[in-house]
Amino acid sequence: PDYRAWVRLKRGDALLEWRPVAKDGFDVPAHQSTSRPAELEMGPGETADFSFTPEDPGSLVIEIGASMGEWSLVQPIEVR
């Protein structure tokens, strides 16, 4: 997009945690690759890779939206 967007990984209303692995095609330094809340705001052309392992089966969602609120979407994920 030509604007800022956000991404969140949630279970119900709870924000989960993930670990950054890479940004814009380059590995994240070890001291930055620590578990943190699964929420990210990104600008045009940015990419990010994260590691996430669900602890339990159940329903998760990835929420994605524009920072200015023009649009958003929710993608359900079923962990079995």
Side-chain angles (χ1 to χ4, degrees), residues 31-62:
H31 73 277
Q32 293 179 355
S33 185
T34 59
S35 188
R36 63 190 62 203
E39 183 172 43
L40 176 68
E41 187 171 335
M42 308 170 50
E46 290 182 314
T47 64
D49 298 324
F50 292 87
S51 175
F52 172 76
T53 303
E55 294 179 5
D56 301 305
S59 298
L60 309 177
V61 295
I62 292 180

Side-chain angles (χ1 to χ4, degrees), residues 7-11 14-16 18 38 52 60-62 77:
V7 179
R8 297 181 187 114
L9 179 61
K10 298 170 76 176
R11 181 185 296 267
L15 193 59
L16 298 172
W18 57 20
F52 172 76
L60 309 177
V61 295
I62 292 180
I77 301 170

